[in-house]
């Protein structure tokens, strides 16, 4: 690719899943990518080594940086390190997230708070660290990894995760309006259910209140968890490839400034989120038109 379009990209939660795939795909596309994750010297040390090997193999610029998205000092330090190392940041990808599976009632309030912290508050920590830099350069892209669950058909037993993703998506929309006059673009990618190729289900959290969960298992919802998993597997096409999400992210980053799409769906099961979001995004846009704030719908390119 033309080096003039090369971007410095910071991705959260890049040790596995969508984040890792996107980091590798963006690096192969010619961007300088900082794959952030926790425990780079311990648990994720093998991932760091694998990414270094990847860079050598493909002649790519894929780097790792220590970042715990649940710690503001860690986030601040990571962002400062990237800016000191690369000179600037062009793209921030909010990808870090965690899933939990089980009856909504069996999760403690503390578990809901933890899921909200990982999936939602983490984005606020990163934004507060990086936005002064992006606003100062009057340029940049925030790319948020949302979920089709926010506006599509969803099964039960994923309430804490779905609620957190809905909150994150709502915040992303408002940030888009509040950053457009600074010349900062927003894109939201909306993956559907992928039962293969990520660790979402394998590493999903379980309810802390085992006794309450057992009441569901011993009652009319006996075996329901497995029923949901099987239902997911049945609607996901055999050829559904999580790499499609990474490819969509590369296409967004590579798009010319001012022409990046606001929302992109990658949803092989077709749960209807594309229809739901088309309606809600249109209603929100119409309201801004009505009150004379339609300029907020697109980043002010060349803003000063």
């Amino acid at each position: 690719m033309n080096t003039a379009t090369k971007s410095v990209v910071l991705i959260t939660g890049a040790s596995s899943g969508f984040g890792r795939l996107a980091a590798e795909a963006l690096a192969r596309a010619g961007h300088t990518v900082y794959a952030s994750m926790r425990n780079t010297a311990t648990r994720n040390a093998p991932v760091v080594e694998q990414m270094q090997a990847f860079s050598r193999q493909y002649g790519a610029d894929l780097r790792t940086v220590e970042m715990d998205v649940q710690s503001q000092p860690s986030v601040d330090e990571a962002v400062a390190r990237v800016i000191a190392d690369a000179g600037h940041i062009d793209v921030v990808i909010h990808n870090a997230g965690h899933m939990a599976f089980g009856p909504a009632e069996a999760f403690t309030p503390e578990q809901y708070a933890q899921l909200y912290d990982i999936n939602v508050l983490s984005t606020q920590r990163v934004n507060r660290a990086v936005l002064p830099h992006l606003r100062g350069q009057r340029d940049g892209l925030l790319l948020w990894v949302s979920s089709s669950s926010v506006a599509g058909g969803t099964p039960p037993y994923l309430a804490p995760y779905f609620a957190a993703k809905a909150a994150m998506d709502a915040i992303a929309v408002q940030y888009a309006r509040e950053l457009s006059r600074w010349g900062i673009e927003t894109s939201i990618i909306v993956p559907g259910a992928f039962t293969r190729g990520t660790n979402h289900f394998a590493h999903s959290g379980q309810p802390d209140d085992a006794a309450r969960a057992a009441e569901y298992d011993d009652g009319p919802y006996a075996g329901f968890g497995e029923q949901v998993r099987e239902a997911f597997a049945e609607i996901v096409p055999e050829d559904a490839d999580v790499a499609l999400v990474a490819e969509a992210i590369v296409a967004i980053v590579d798009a010319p400034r001012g022409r990046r799409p606001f929302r992109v769906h990658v949803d092989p099961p077709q749960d209807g989120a594309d229809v739901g979001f088309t309606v809600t995004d249109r209603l929100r846009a119409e309201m801004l038109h009505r009150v004379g704030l339609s300029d907020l719908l697109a980043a002010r390119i060349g803003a000063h």
Side-chain angles (χ1 to χ4, degrees):
M1 66 183 280
N2 190 320
T3 55
T5 61
K6 180 178 179 180
S7 296
V8 175
V9 183
L10 173 62
I11 307 180
T12 66
S15 64
S16 64
F18 295 146
R20 180 164 183 176
L21 290 169
E24 294 176 349
L26 285 163
R28 290 190 68 177
H31 300 284
T32 296
V33 181
Y34 286 84
S36 76
M37 64 195 76
R38 295 182 299 173
N39 306 316
T40 53
T42 53
R43 180 169 58 86
N44 280 323
V47 177
V48 172
E49 294 176 1
Q50 291 160 12
M51 288 188 171
Q52 290 171 345
F54 179 94
S55 293
R56 292 190 296 270
Q57 180 180 356
Y58 294 103
D61 197 355
L62 176 58
R63 315 176 189 186
T64 56
V65 61
E66 174 76 26
M67 181 195 286
D68 179 357
V69 295
Q70 293 185 271
S71 164
Q72 189 70 59
S74 176
V75 171
D76 291 343
E77 183 178 346
V79 169
R81 185 179 302 120
V82 172
I83 294 173
D85 189 35
H88 64 283
I89 295 174
D90 301 300
V91 180
V92 176
I93 301 179
H94 289 302
N95 168 75
H98 187 57
M99 180 184 286
F101 186 85
E105 183 186 346
F107 290 96
T108 65
E110 290 76 18
Q111 284 188 286
Y112 271 81
Q114 182 185 35
L115 261 292
Y116 193 89
D117 190 278
I118 296 170
N119 290 279
V120 185
L121 299 187
S122 67
T123 67
Q124 181 68 354
R125 294 187 185 100
V126 173
N127 279 353
R128 283 180 55 81
V130 79
L131 284 179
H133 172 73
L134 298 186
R135 288 190 292 104
Q137 64 190 20
R138 298 294 179 108
D139 188 9
L141 167 67
L142 291 190
L143 200 162
W144 307 68
V145 181
S146 183
S147 169
S148 66
S149 64
V150 177
T154 58
Y157 273 35
L158 287 157
Y161 175 70
F162 287 166
K165 277 298 186 181
M168 191 214 73
D169 193 285
I171 291 170
V173 171
Q174 296 307 316
Y175 258 117
R177 314 310 184 214
E178 296 178 17
L179 294 174
S180 60
R181 289 181 180 176
W182 292 99
I184 298 170
E185 296 179 277
T186 293
S187 290
I188 304 171
I189 191 159
V190 187
F194 286 89
T195 53
R196 295 175 295 277
T198 72
N199 295 323
H200 282 317
F201 282 93
H203 294 169
S204 61
Q206 303 297 315
D208 278 351
D209 191 339
R212 197 72 59 97
E215 291 176 10
Y216 278 76
D217 247 358
D218 294 338
Y221 284 84
F224 187 67
E226 186 58 31
Q227 186 180 351
V228 167
R229 289 188 177 90
E230 290 175 356
F232 253 106
E234 287 176 6
I235 65 171
V236 178
E238 284 294 325
D239 60 351
D241 187 354
V242 292
L244 294 172
V245 177
E247 291 171 9
I249 289 173
V250 172
I252 292 170
V253 174
D254 280 349
R257 190 171 179 229
R259 294 174 58 187
R260 287 162 169 152
F262 179 66
R263 198 181 289 277
V264 173
H265 295 267
V266 185
D267 183 21
Q270 298 182 328
D271 64 12
D274 55 339
V275 176
F277 273 123
T278 296
V279 174
T280 55
D281 287 342
R282 175 65 182 271
L283 290 174
R284 290 163 174 167
E286 287 298 326
M287 176 59 73
L288 290 177
H289 281 290
R290 285 178 58 192
V291 298
L293 295 174
S294 58
D295 72 291
L296 302 180
L297 293 170
R300 186 178 293 175
I301 306 302
H304 296 291

